[in-house]
């Protein structure tokens, strides 16, 4: 029915360079997703095996490249 049953949020750690560049540490991005998912699942009160769908959204077009070993 599209009802939100739980949500989680973790703030980004934005790194601003002297030349005006803006970046994030790939490990920080990955860990913030893991922490946010855990918060959302805990807030829902639904056991992991019963979860049938999950949506993740983030501001901007953040892309983190990973290798075949799932490491940045």
């Amino acid at each position: 029915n599209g009802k939100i049953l739980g949500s989680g949020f973790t703030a980004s750690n934005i790194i601003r360079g002297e030349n005006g560049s803006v970046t994030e540490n790939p490990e920080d991005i990955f860990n913030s997703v893991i922490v946010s998912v855990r918060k959302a699942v805990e807030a829902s009160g639904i056991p992991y095996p019963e979860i049938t769908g999950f949506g993740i959204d983030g501001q901007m077009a953040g892309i983190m490249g990973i290798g075949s070993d799932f490491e940045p």
Side-chain angles (χ1 to χ4, degrees), residues 33-66:
V33 170
I34 298 301
V35 169
S36 295
V37 167
R38 285 186 180 145
K39 288 179 181 179
V41 170
E42 289 173 4
S44 76
I46 301 171
Y48 284 105
E50 294 180 24
I51 295 174
T52 58
F54 209 96
I56 297 176
D57 187 22
Q59 186 178 358
M60 299 176 53
I63 298 172
M64 179 175 68
I66 59 173

Side-chain angles (χ1 to χ4, degrees), residues 8-31:
F9 172 80
T10 304
S12 297
N13 180 27
I14 305 297
I15 302 165
R16 299 184 187 280
E18 290 182 23
N19 62 355
S21 65
V22 178
T23 187
E24 292 181 73
N25 179 318
E27 289 294 323
D28 288 345
I29 296 170
F30 179 79
N31 288 329

